[in-house]
Amino acid sequence: DAGVIQSPRHEVTEMGQEVTLRCKPISGHDYLFWYRQTMMRGLELLIYFNNNVPIDDSGMPEDRFSAKMPNASFSTLKIQPSEPRDSAVYFCASRRQVTGELFFGEGSRLTVL
Amino acid sequence: GDSVTQMEGPVTLSEEACLTINCTYTATGYPSLFWYVQYPGEGLQLLLKATKADDKGSNKGFEATYRKETTSFHLEKGSVQVSDSAVYFCALSVGGSQGNLIFGKGTKLSVKP
């Protein structure tokens, strides 16, 4: 079975550019999560969805960040405009409501110059 | 609020040494507890879990026992291998299958031959 699929795996961009990260959760999973991982702050929850509806976006750093889930099989995390401090690895994860186990994608490593 | 505290790393051990990574938690409800492992360049994956007090989770030679009286879930392995080198995250989920996992900051383990 395919796991959580993220793209791109690596993104290098310049400050001020728009960045869009994509995620395809595991089929049948009800929850989708976006995390950010940095050396300084560890693993931070940005936002999560249940049945495509955003439930908690309190972790979204500021208005430059936005996330959407237009359907059960696709989500995007957008940063506009990007800044060097946004450089991190962004993980998408999904889970089924019953099991509780989170399945992570391999991450998107973002570098903003 | 709910939180997880785990020992800071990095931890460096020789092959076949014993491992203990401490994890304690604070939760208002009755959480499920998890250990996730992150190998270099990969996403997090579930290592083991326990859903109620006195449960023992085990996998790949690792064990952790849910201790309600000490609010702990320490990860142990009797004999580590070089292939165990990774970052280990303790996490909790409150409210059963609802909501988010709360992660500790992670402990990096390096095992030397």
Side-chain angles (χ1 to χ4, degrees):
Chain A
D1 289 341
V4 176
I5 300 172
Q6 292 187 244
S7 64
R9 290 295 312 277
H10 302 275
E11 175 91 6
V12 180
T13 190
E14 293 188 346
M15 183 173 63
Q17 297 299 304
E18 177 178 295
V19 173
T20 299
L21 307 178
R22 297 173 178 80
C23 175
K24 177 178 169 56
I26 294 173
S27 177
H29 281 196
D30 305 289
Y31 287 84
L32 183 140
F33 300 79
W34 282 101
Y35 288 90
R36 178 172 67 177
Q37 185 178 40
T38 61
M39 289 292 292
M40 293 297 295
R41 301 172 70 92
L43 195 65
E44 303 173 277
L45 175 68
L46 300 177
I47 185 171
Y48 76 93
F49 297 82
N50 178 213
N51 293 325
N52 313 338
V53 176
I55 303 300
D56 183 356
D57 65 354
S58 59
M60 296 286 264
E62 49 200 90
D63 292 345
R64 297 185 298 107
F65 285 68
S66 63
K68 295 182 179 179
M69 192 166 185
N71 57 62
S73 59
F74 184 65
S75 177
T76 59
L77 177 68
K78 186 174 292 187
I79 308 172
Q80 167 63 20
S82 58
E83 297 182 2
R85 60 190 167 125
D86 302 330
S87 298
V89 181
Y90 292 81
F91 286 103
C92 178
S94 68
R95 66 187 269 193
R96 272 174 40 196
Q97 184 164 349
V98 174
T99 65
E101 177 183 349
L102 266 182
F103 291 83
F104 282 78
E106 294 187 315
S108 294
R109 180 174 294 276
L110 173 65
T111 302
V112 183
L113 303 174
Chain B
D2 301 330
S3 65
V4 173
T5 303
Q6 61 181 105
M7 65 184 285
E8 292 190 16
V11 175
T12 301
L13 296 174
S14 297
E15 205 165 22
E16 299 184 3
C18 294
L19 168 71
T20 299
I21 300 178
N22 292 334
C23 172
T24 57
Y25 67 89
T26 302
T28 54
Y30 298 93
S32 295
L33 300 172
F34 305 81
W35 277 101
Y36 278 77
V37 58
Q38 184 181 28
Y39 298 104
E42 299 183 11
L44 282 71
Q45 55 187 274
L46 180 66
L47 179 60
L48 53 84
K49 69 177 181 181
T51 58
K52 61 182 186 297
D54 300 325
D55 268 3
K56 177 185 285 188
S58 61
N59 186 24
K60 300 181 180 179
F62 290 88
E63 293 183 338
T65 301
Y66 189 146
R67 302 285 189 199
K68 186 179 178 183
E69 63 275 13
T70 55
T71 62
S72 65
F73 193 55
H74 304 321
L75 182 67
E76 299 177 324
K77 187 174 186 181
S79 176
V80 294
Q81 306 300 311
V82 172
S83 57
D84 294 326
S85 298
V87 181
Y88 293 82
F89 292 87
C90 186
L92 69 82
S93 174
V94 181
S97 60
Q98 301 298 319
N100 178 35
L101 287 186
I102 297 172
F103 285 89
K105 291 188 180 298
T107 303
K108 183 176 182 179
L109 170 66
S110 296
V111 180
K112 307 297 184 186

